[in-house]
Amino acid sequence: MRVDAEQVANLRTARGWTQADLAEASGLNLRTVQRIEGTAVASLRSKRALASALDVDMEDLDKKELSMSPCPHCRSDQVFESERLIDTTTIGGELLPKLAPRAFSSAKMRAVVCGDCGLLRYFVDDDARQRLTSSDNWRHV
């Protein structure tokens, strides 16, 4: 089932926990926590364990779906989004400069494509968006 991987990571880091700490607190394998944060998919058992460890309701871990359809260009309902967040370093260098959480990491985003007209949109993760206002590399227009 889909979970909000960003929310899981945000709740984890707000407690000062590493992924290993969350794995221990939830009784899950470290690789399972890494996979959930990377793919935004978890079993019901894993979702229940994360919610318990993070002291939140299971619904708080649900993926909040943005309305991506219909396409704003051609009004088609044939709109598709990437299943996992895309690491911006894989798209030709630093696409979102200075918005990554650490010096040697990159910002993440989700791609959305219209199957009819081909319009491609990127939605940047919450963590990167929160850095916009305090960054010297970005200006409000």
Side-chain angles (χ1 to χ4, degrees), residues 52-81:
S52 177
L54 295 167
D55 196 29
V56 296
D57 291 328
M58 282 183 45
E59 294 79 30
D60 294 334
L61 301 181
D62 287 342
K63 176 75 177 152
K64 292 6 172 231
E65 297 297 332
L66 297 173
S67 178
M68 304 285 182
S69 187
C71 172
H73 180 70
C74 71
R75 310 304 300 161
S76 170
D77 287 326
Q78 294 300 311
V79 178
F80 302 87
E81 73 173 359

Side-chain angles (χ1 to χ4, degrees), residues 66 68 80 82 84-88 90-92 95-96 108-113 119-125 129:
L66 297 173
M68 304 285 182
F80 302 87
S82 59
R84 61 185 171 85
L85 294 175
I86 298 167
D87 186 324
T88 58
T90 63
I91 308 174
L95 182 64
L96 298 169
K108 308 284 190 256
M109 60 188 174
R110 185 169 309 283
V112 177
V113 179
L119 177 67
L120 170 64
R121 297 176 285 165
Y122 287 113
F123 292 85
V124 179
D125 71 327
R129 287 195 320 266

